[in-house]
Amino acid sequence: MKFHILTLFPEMVLQGLHTSIIGRAAEKGLIGIDAVNIRDYTQERHGRVDDYPYGGGAGMLIQAQPVYDAYQAVAAGGKPRTVYMTPQGTPFTQKMAEELAKEEELVILCGHYEGIDERVLEEIVTDRVSIGDYVLTGGELPAMVLVDAVSRLVPGVLSNESSAETESFYNDLLEYPQYSRPEIWHEKKVPSVLLSGNHRDIAKWRLARSEERTAAVRPDLYAKYRQKQWTIARLSNRKREHIHMMELLRRGNGELLYGKGENVIAYERTGEICLMTAVSPQDGEKMVRFLGELNPRISWFVVCQEFLAKQLGEMFPLRACEPCIQACYTRREPLPVRHGDIRPLGEEALEYLCAHYCQEDSGATQEISLEDSREYLSERVRSGWMFGAYVEGKLAGFIGLHDEGSMGMLYVEETFRGRGLGAALESYLINRLRERDWTPFCQIYQDNSVSLALQEKLGLYLSGPVIRWLEVRDCHLEVCRFQADR
Ligand code: 9D3
């Protein structure tokens, strides 16, 4: 990730970003921070870059020309994403940081004085971002905030340990209080439950403190949290059909776009997947209309009812995939893993995965390019949820978690089939999910009797009605770069 910061105070930005984690990332070359002085591009004598605003008013404006020339110097003929830091921008969020982290190059424009001539902004700016409702003296600190938040999402910038932490960041809740040695300080004792060693009690206590804090300080977040919990409870009335939606929400991988009783729309951002269930066709119609208005980016729909598939088909250009049966593991006991050498896969296994990941299993009717498939597998490996089974030190099969949370991608090499390797891989993954208090589930094509038999053998429960995946054909109808938070 390369940042080009256009500013009148380049040394301020560089000073602020050369220490600690961000400084180290820059040293290692994981990110690049280039601060460009707008003043170096002025054509006026005495290095002047500002002038009075037409129509009058207090203060000075940065003129268009030096900003434009500084931009041209870093854009090098391209049209890189360009963020203008301004109090009139969209409030910065983690979601925006995640989106910006996908770019290879970012230009960040900092205002000072009263602002910048609007005409140059119209030509170069793609996003306007504020960091909150308070008044600063310039855009430099906001630019540093943005660089910090985006950089820590760049792979390798954080240690694996701390990045895993962010992933499991409690769903819509603020963090619980934490304590370290000594056990007593200023006559204050560490809460005894934390010393008990009982992980269930500890988790319960932490959740209660998180809820308490969130309710007190962030009623907005708390309301969202309560609605999610309520929806999960409603969905659990038909758990086998709805396990994918419940788990998406429970694991904090999805947001609730719509929740009226058992009429629910959940959304997974990375894969642009929209999960829907409706009680009646009337409800379905309302929900489809709602989606049309909200217009989020969607690549896939997953629906629980056939009428939804029909109704969506009238609104979106779709290709329907074969229906799937849903299987979930809700037993109390972990499963025995009858194979010794199963471990997480790293980037080095990518070639093997690409060679053996079965495209038909992805459900896509149109050819998924090798490129897309590699991109997906690489992202899955980075998520830490791809596992391989090794026989005599050599990779013989794998399994993983899809982006919406279902188990899948199961593969066992021809020569090793019939030895329970597949069962071992799935059992292993089920156990890992259970450690997190998640309910393992997967989706299987109706006609895949081999896989269905495996699910029954392992003790998973199968859903009656079928789940339908619907692929959206080139429908990235982007309204604005940052979707309104609904
Ligand atoms: C008193 C000046 N204001 C007149 C209406 C406008 C104004 C212009 C520029 C106020 C502050 C600034 C400087 N701030 C930023 O450039 C800025 C900022 C901020 O002040 N708060 C939150 N986010 C941001 S992003 C850029």
Side-chain angles (χ1 to χ4, degrees):
M1 167 68 77
K2 177 95 186 170
F3 300 96
H4 304 275
I5 306 167
L6 311 185
T7 165
L8 290 172
F9 303 96
E11 61 292 341
M12 175 180 179
V13 176
L14 291 175
Q15 279 286 334
L17 293 171
H18 88 232
T19 29
S20 187
I21 297 173
I22 303 303
R24 227 172 306 131
E27 264 170 41
K28 280 201 257 170
L30 293 166
I31 58 170
I33 302 168
D34 162 34
V36 177
N37 194 338
I38 296 170
R39 203 178 294 283
D40 291 346
Y41 292 85
T42 180
Q43 288 171 356
E44 297 202 32
R45 273 162 295 153
H46 316 301
R48 197 174 153 183
V49 291
D50 60 333
D51 209 330
Y52 296 101
Y54 281 115
M60 306 288 270
L61 289 181
I62 305 180
Q63 293 166 281
Q65 175 271 320
V67 172
Y68 190 68
D69 290 354
Y71 168 82
Q72 290 296 353
V74 301
K79 272 215 155 261
R81 194 145 178 192
T82 301
V83 183
Y84 175 38
M85 307 310 302
T86 166
Q88 282 76 49
T90 313
F92 190 53
T93 59
Q94 189 62 27
K95 200 187 273 186
M96 285 156 80
E98 281 165 25
E99 171 144 340
L100 292 174
K102 294 181 200 155
E103 303 286 332
E104 251 160 52
E105 211 141 349
L106 275 183
V107 177
I108 304 171
L109 176 59
C110 308
H112 225 90
Y113 308 107
E114 292 302 303
I116 300 178
D117 191 307
E118 188 67 21
R119 292 167 296 183
V120 66
L121 300 176
E122 282 171 11
E123 289 204 11
I124 69 173
V125 168
T126 55
D127 307 89
R128 298 182 190 222
V129 174
S130 156
I131 63 163
D133 292 339
Y134 37 83
V135 184
L136 302 169
T137 56
E140 283 75 18
L141 279 168
M144 288 155 70
V145 166
L146 186 141
V147 169
D148 190 286
V150 172
S151 295
R152 64 184 288 291
L153 299 175
V154 171
V157 170
L158 295 185
S159 65
N160 282 344
E161 208 177 313
S162 29
S163 28
E165 230 168 83
T166 32
E167 216 202 338
S168 66
F169 168 72
Y170 249 154
N171 219 350
D172 300 327
L173 287 179
L174 301 180
E175 238 166 76
Y176 43 80
Q178 304 213 67
Y179 305 84
S180 182
R181 291 206 318 161
E183 232 179 275
I184 301 173
W185 182 82
H186 280 198
E187 280 151 51
K188 292 167 189 280
K189 279 201 74 194
V190 172
S192 56
V193 63
L194 299 179
L195 311 173
S196 71
N198 183 330
H199 293 289
R200 258 178 214 278
D201 284 354
I202 292 172
K204 237 162 106 190
W205 183 87
R206 286 179 166 168
L207 179 62
R209 299 291 83 69
S210 279
E211 289 178 337
E212 202 172 80
R213 275 189 169 181
T214 311
V217 201
R218 292 290 302 274
D220 55 326
L221 279 187
Y222 192 64
K224 217 169 138 188
Y225 169 76
R226 287 297 298 268
Q227 211 212 344
K228 245 187 211 178
Q229 296 306 111
W230 172 247
T231 300
I232 293 167
R234 293 301 300 270
L235 288 172
S236 73
N237 289 339
R238 284 186 290 147
K239 193 168 182 178
R240 289 185 202 180
E241 284 95 273
H242 290 151
I243 191 69
H244 60 313
M245 303 185 79
M246 294 170 63
E247 285 299 300
L248 190 80
L249 297 173
R250 279 192 45 206
R251 298 178 194 179
N253 294 340
E255 48 207 307
L256 197 57
L257 297 185
Y258 186 100
K260 295 209 163 92
E262 263 183 67
N263 298 297
V264 180
I265 308 178
Y267 181 67
E268 197 277 336
R269 221 154 3 93
T270 323
E272 299 173 350
I273 306 165
C274 187
L275 286 62
M276 297 177 74
T277 184
V279 176
S280 71
Q282 289 73 32
D283 291 316
E285 213 156 285
K286 246 190 261 166
M287 292 161 70
V288 172
R289 223 174 307 125
F290 170 86
L291 256 188
E293 271 163 41
L294 188 60
N295 195 23
R297 294 178 60 125
I298 297 170
S299 301
W300 298 89
F301 286 103
V302 185
V303 302
C304 299
Q305 292 81 19
E306 195 175 2
F307 61 77
L308 274 178
K310 274 217 192 80
Q311 291 167 335
L312 285 167
E314 287 162 19
M315 174 85 90
F316 301 90
L318 295 177
R319 287 168 202 242
C321 301
E322 289 300 304
C324 297
I325 285 173
Q326 201 147 241
C328 61
Y329 187 85
T330 53
R331 293 175 197 262
R332 284 179 172 279
E333 322 76 46
L335 286 167
V337 180
R338 300 192 206 284
H339 183 79
D341 200 1
I342 297 178
R343 35 179 213 260
L345 293 174
E347 209 72 33
E348 70 283 348
L350 197 57
E351 287 317 310
Y352 184 89
L353 293 174
C354 289
H356 299 292
Y357 175 47
C358 182
Q359 292 201 355
E360 287 114 71
D361 282 5
S362 76
T365 48
Q366 63 192 28
E367 284 285 306
I368 293 183
S369 72
L370 229 63
E371 211 98 310
D372 284 355
S373 197
R374 176 181 301 268
E375 177 80 22
Y376 181 65
L377 290 165
S378 161
E379 189 267 318
R380 292 290 80 210
V381 166
R382 269 182 278 125
S383 81
W385 285 105
M386 291 297 301
F387 302 94
Y390 292 81
V391 175
E392 284 155 12
K394 275 193 67 187
L395 203 48
F398 56 82
I399 194 165
L401 222 53
H402 283 296
D403 46 10
E404 40 43 277
S406 64
M407 301 184 290
M409 297 173 268
L410 180 58
Y411 170 80
V412 174
E413 223 160 88
E414 197 94 33
T415 43
F416 299 110
R417 288 186 196 165
R419 302 198 202 171
L421 227 60
L425 275 162
E426 186 171 336
S427 300
Y428 177 89
L429 181 52
I430 283 175
N431 294 346
R432 295 296 294 253
L433 290 161
R434 278 174 34 87
E435 281 166 22
R436 289 260 198 136
D437 262 327
W438 292 347
T439 301
F441 71 97
C442 57
Q443 297 169 343
I444 305 132
Y445 292 121
Q446 273 179 311
D447 59 0
N448 189 345
S449 50
V450 176
S451 180
L452 286 173
L454 175 62
Q455 307 317 319
E456 298 218 271
K457 186 178 117 189
L458 295 180
L460 284 86
Y461 294 112
L462 302 182
S463 73
V466 288
I467 298 284
R468 288 175 178 77
W469 278 77
L470 308 163
E471 187 183 6
V472 182
R473 285 179 296 178
D474 46 57
C475 136
H476 294 295
L477 315 159
E478 239 177 304
V479 216
C480 60
R481 296 203 91 143
F482 293 126
Q483 289 290 336
D485 212 356
R486 268 244 21 170

